[in-house]
Amino acid sequence: MRLTIIGTGYVGLVTGACFAECGHQVTCVDCDAAKVALLRGGGMPIYEPGLEELVRQNAAAGRLYFTESTKEGVERSDIIFIAVPTPPLPDGSVDLSFMEGVSRDIASHMTSYKIVVDKSTVPVKTGEKVAETIKRYCPAKVEFDVVSNPEFLREGFAVEDFMRPDRVVIGTLSARPVAAMKELYEPFDAPIIVTDINSAELIKHAANSFLALKISYINAISAICEASGANVEEVANGIGMDARIGRRFLNAGLGFGGSCFPKDLSAFIRIAEQLGVPFDLLKEVQRINARQMDRFVKKIADTLWVLKGKKIGVLGLAFKQNTDDVRSSPAIELCRRLLLEGAVLRVHDPKAMDKARPILPEAVFVEDMNAVAEGCDALVVATEWPEFKQLDLERARKALSHPILFDGRNLFDPRELEQLGFIYKSVGR
Ligand SMILES: NC(=O)c1ccc[n+]([C@@H]2O[C@H](COP(=O)([O-])OP(=O)(O)OC[C@H]3O[C@@H](n4cnc5c(N)ncnc54)[C@H](O)[C@@H]3O)[C@@H](O)[C@H]2O)c1
């Protein structure tokens, strides 16, 4: 099939590369000229395991093509995916101007039947608006269908998740595009849910809010564990073995961040309010998340007393492991809070240093994770990169002026660290 993806970011590029890998002819459109030039020249704008290889191979095979022109994208394909940003507005609601702009742009170039598929995360009823907009702005007045096909991939595991999804959701206003959508997803061997467009859109916000809720739940438990002397990992294992609950997303830490959970949660709260059905439970999820960071910063300040002038090593800047994405990263938030208190930072991340440099110009960026602790008063783990488990702890202990380690991701075993002579503080244990 001939496919176009408008928006070549984390979702768009992965979608394009994976569909090309299935043998389709894919055109990736992006308005960022520098990004298109980089991709055309064989470069990669983002880090995602396995993605570079897929992009290179499929571009070389002529199945993956990059352009700045939406017109070209619309002309080249019958199925057009929208994967543009849906960022938050100051009141938490969703900025749909990118969606609206792209819908008009697509409409103005349509001269034959198209399936327009929304992959961006949007409020319920957006598909109806997209359909209205395309109808209004299409001079050729051709037929088209709008489909909601929310994306559930996780950054850091995006290719794997796209190729092996738990389920595929197809929400449509009509039956006509269903066969093509099913054919497209058939190679992934996943359950396909065909539903109405409003339910499809709601599924995405309901899913992300539930996952955020699960993280806040265990983080709230972690505070109770700290107050009572229990161990949050034991509790998570104990409740997670209940098949109705499940162990995933029950890892206490610094709280959730990234470009999706915080914004989707705020959006869902606003959507519910606008529909006249306030969803206060989700406001508590936000409060718990904010409190979790406060508690961790307080733990550092209580231990080190005055932070002004203290040298602190921070391991991890990305919002989670396996990604270079620092958007709304709790690790960056933690760095900012420490800098605000006057601390001096030495920081390291396996993949996110380039993206973090302009955000934290005051910090010293250290290439070798084992050199971060040199001359520091304490070391902090802020992102759950598995390679941090390989840290040379003996060297870190000697390099620190006093061996204090704050583990915001519970990466290390408290007993082991204490045996090595560390003052070790983690979350909920
Ligand atoms: N990142 C994730 O893990 C993830 C997962 C599921 C869903 N989503 C949703 O997918 C959508 C995209 O997210 P993302 O993380 O890929 O964003 P992103 O910022 O990485 O990429 C968006 C791309 O769209 C381009 N763009 C913006 N306006 C455009 C236009 N008018 N024409 C062409 N290109 C345009 C930007 O230049 C950018 O390259 C959002 O709604 C997000 O909530 C993201």
Side-chain angles (χ1 to χ4, degrees):
M1 283 193 248
R2 294 183 308 155
L3 313 173
T4 285
I5 323 287
I6 301 182
T8 310
Y10 283 89
V11 168
L13 186 56
V14 171
T15 302
C18 291
F19 279 144
E21 181 69 11
C22 297
H24 302 294
Q25 286 294 327
V26 180
T27 303
C28 283
V29 179
D30 205 286
C31 59
D32 181 341
K35 190 177 270 190
V36 172
L38 180 71
L39 284 160
R40 279 188 164 176
M44 284 294 286
I46 54 168
Y47 170 74
E48 194 57 58
L51 185 60
E52 188 170 0
E53 192 82 344
L54 276 190
V55 170
R56 193 159 27 84
Q57 282 169 2
N58 285 286
R63 287 191 297 266
L64 195 54
Y65 170 79
F66 301 98
T67 176
E68 280 169 67
S69 164
T70 304
K71 180 173 186 285
E72 198 182 358
V74 173
E75 284 168 358
R76 284 169 71 99
S77 297
D78 312 312
I79 306 183
I80 301 158
F81 286 82
I82 304 176
V84 295
T86 47
L89 289 167
D91 69 351
S93 63
V94 183
D95 178 356
L96 289 166
S97 60
F98 296 87
M99 286 296 299
E100 198 259 357
V102 169
S103 305
R104 275 196 289 146
D105 225 5
I106 294 171
S108 67
H109 301 301
M110 277 178 16
T111 52
S112 58
Y113 173 76
K114 306 283 178 193
I115 301 174
V116 179
V117 186
D118 173 30
K119 244 196 188 311
S120 294
T121 301
V122 295
V124 58
K125 294 171 110 51
T126 299
E128 291 175 3
K129 293 279 183 210
V130 168
E132 253 174 60
T133 304
I134 294 178
K135 203 168 173 184
R136 195 174 300 150
Y137 288 94
C138 178
K141 299 291 170 211
V142 290
E143 288 191 6
F144 67 92
D145 275 302
V146 173
V147 173
S148 164
N149 172 220
E151 182 50 58
F152 299 97
L153 62 79
R154 296 164 300 163
E155 282 180 31
F157 304 89
V159 171
E160 191 185 319
D161 285 353
F162 195 92
M163 296 288 209
R164 255 175 270 127
D166 288 340
R167 77 311 205 179
V168 172
V169 174
I170 296 170
T172 106
L173 293 163
S174 85
R176 188 170 170 188
V178 173
M181 291 301 295
K182 280 189 168 171
E183 190 185 330
L184 204 49
Y185 279 103
E186 203 240 0
F188 304 134
D189 201 21
I192 296 179
I193 299 168
V194 178
T195 182
D196 63 280
I197 197 157
N198 288 338
S199 301
E201 290 168 338
L202 206 65
I203 285 169
K204 176 65 189 178
H205 271 126
N208 269 10
S209 298
F210 188 83
L211 293 170
L213 178 145
K214 211 172 165 190
I215 295 171
S216 275
Y217 186 82
I218 200 67
N219 280 337
I221 301 270
S222 79
I224 297 174
C225 286
E226 282 176 25
S228 62
N231 181 329
V232 73
E233 249 166 58
E234 300 293 326
V235 178
N237 290 340
I239 60 177
M241 274 187 201
D242 187 325
R244 294 169 301 177
I245 297 174
R247 179 64 177 82
R248 292 173 76 190
F249 277 74
L250 287 181
N251 294 316
L254 287 179
F256 56 80
S259 69
C260 289
F261 283 0
K263 98 169 157 63
D264 291 349
L265 197 59
S266 310
F268 204 26
I269 290 168
R270 290 292 294 153
I271 292 162
E273 262 167 26
Q274 281 159 1
L275 291 167
V277 274
F279 202 163
D280 288 349
L281 173 65
L282 298 185
K283 291 186 182 165
E284 192 53 30
V285 171
Q286 288 180 318
R287 276 192 285 269
I288 293 168
N289 200 49
R291 238 181 275 142
Q292 196 69 0
M293 177 63 76
D294 292 345
R295 290 196 317 112
F296 194 72
V297 173
K298 184 172 182 303
K299 203 174 281 184
I300 297 174
D302 283 351
T303 310
L304 299 181
W305 193 21
V306 175
L307 293 180
K308 192 170 177 202
K310 291 270 160 62
K311 206 183 257 188
I312 299 176
V314 179
L315 291 169
L317 298 166
F319 85 96
K320 58 188 252 186
Q321 80 276 36
N322 291 341
T323 181
D324 62 347
D325 196 350
V326 292
R327 293 177 289 180
S328 302
S329 166
I332 298 280
E333 162 76 4
L334 178 65
C335 288
R336 285 211 180 104
R337 301 269 295 257
L338 297 173
L339 287 166
L340 214 61
E341 294 291 327
V344 178
L345 300 187
R346 287 171 62 77
V347 301
H348 170 83
D349 190 282
K351 293 287 176 199
M353 304 259 269
D354 288 343
K355 290 198 170 149
R357 249 180 264 268
I359 308 173
L360 297 172
E362 313 91 324
V364 176
F365 284 73
V366 183
E367 290 301 325
D368 174 7
M369 71 170 177
N370 284 310
V372 172
E374 257 145 52
C376 286
D377 297 286
L379 197 56
V380 178
V381 177
T383 307
E384 65 276 35
W385 280 98
E387 35 271 73
F388 292 160
K389 287 188 184 162
Q390 261 58 65
L391 188 75
D392 185 340
L393 289 165
E394 191 54 34
R395 179 173 161 189
R397 189 177 58 80
K398 287 185 187 143
L400 289 162
S401 67
H402 204 79
I404 305 174
L405 200 155
F406 300 97
D407 186 352
R409 297 295 177 184
N410 289 353
L411 271 194
F412 295 106
D413 177 4
R415 248 172 310 170
E416 199 185 311
L417 270 277
E418 275 151 25
Q419 270 164 14
L420 283 169
F422 280 92
I423 295 171
Y424 176 74
K425 307 214 171 189
S426 53
V427 181
R429 43 181 214 167

